């Protein structure tokens, strides 16, 4: 029943910005962590940033100083602001949520949204 949907991807110029959103629906999960991952052509999926329900944040080295992760008050929505984009940021960006439904641990993934940065 739980579904995650990303939005905000598209084509941007180098040096520009993008703002990604993730919305969880049918969510009865006690959320532990929310995050963003990305997968570029020829590369493995990698963590971009994460934020816990308590507000603790972790960034990949390439994201520090350029990207900002945040979450809404309800815990059903979280965001990724990306500035100073580079062509190497081109990837499919996925939102992720991990938590508990009762005592059952589960991870949930969105379908991804394409971000393309032109040179």
């Amino acid at each position: 029943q739980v579904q995650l949907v990303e939005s905000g991807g598209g084509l941007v110029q180098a040096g520009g910005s993008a703002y990604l959103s993730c919305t969880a629906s049918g969510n009865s999960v006690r959320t532990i962590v929310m995050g963003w991952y990305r997968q570029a052509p020829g590369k493995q999926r990698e963590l971009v940033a994460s934020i816990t329900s308590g507000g603790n944040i972790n960034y990949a080295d390439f994201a520090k100083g350029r990207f900002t992760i945040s979450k809404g008050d309800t815990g059903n929505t979280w965001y990724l602001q990306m500035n100073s984009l580079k062509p190497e940021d081109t990837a499919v960006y996925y939102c992720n949520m991990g938590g508990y439904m009762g005592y059952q641990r589960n991870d949930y993934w969105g379908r991804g949204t394409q971000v393309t940065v032109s040179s």
Side-chain angles (χ1 to χ4, degrees):
Q1 292 280 24
V2 178
Q3 289 187 309
L4 276 59
V5 179
E6 304 96 338
S7 64
L11 177 64
V12 299
Q13 294 181 343
S17 298
Y19 185 67
L20 307 183
S21 299
C22 182
T23 299
S25 62
N27 188 12
S28 60
V29 176
R30 186 173 74 256
T31 301
I32 302 300
V33 63
M34 295 146 281
W36 290 94
Y37 290 72
R38 72 183 188 184
Q39 187 166 20
K43 299 186 67 176
Q44 295 184 336
R45 188 175 298 187
E46 61 184 346
L47 175 71
V48 178
S50 64
I51 183 168
T52 69
S53 59
N56 293 320
I57 294 173
N58 182 58
Y59 291 106
D61 286 341
F62 63 79
K64 293 177 180 177
R66 297 192 299 134
F67 298 176
T68 303
I69 189 171
S70 61
K71 62 182 180 68
D73 292 336
T74 66
N76 292 322
T77 310
W78 55 104
Y79 312 95
L80 185 68
Q81 176 68 54
M82 301 190 291
N83 299 323
S84 302
L85 285 166
K86 308 172 183 178
E88 52 263 45
D89 294 318
T90 296
V92 177
Y93 285 73
Y94 300 88
C95 63
N96 165 263
M97 179 179 69
Y100 287 88
M101 186 175 296
Y103 291 101
Q104 177 68 54
R105 177 71 160 85
N106 287 107
D107 290 291
Y108 304 91
W109 293 89
R111 303 290 291 188
T113 184
Q114 176 72 45
V115 175
T116 301
V117 184
S118 65
S119 60

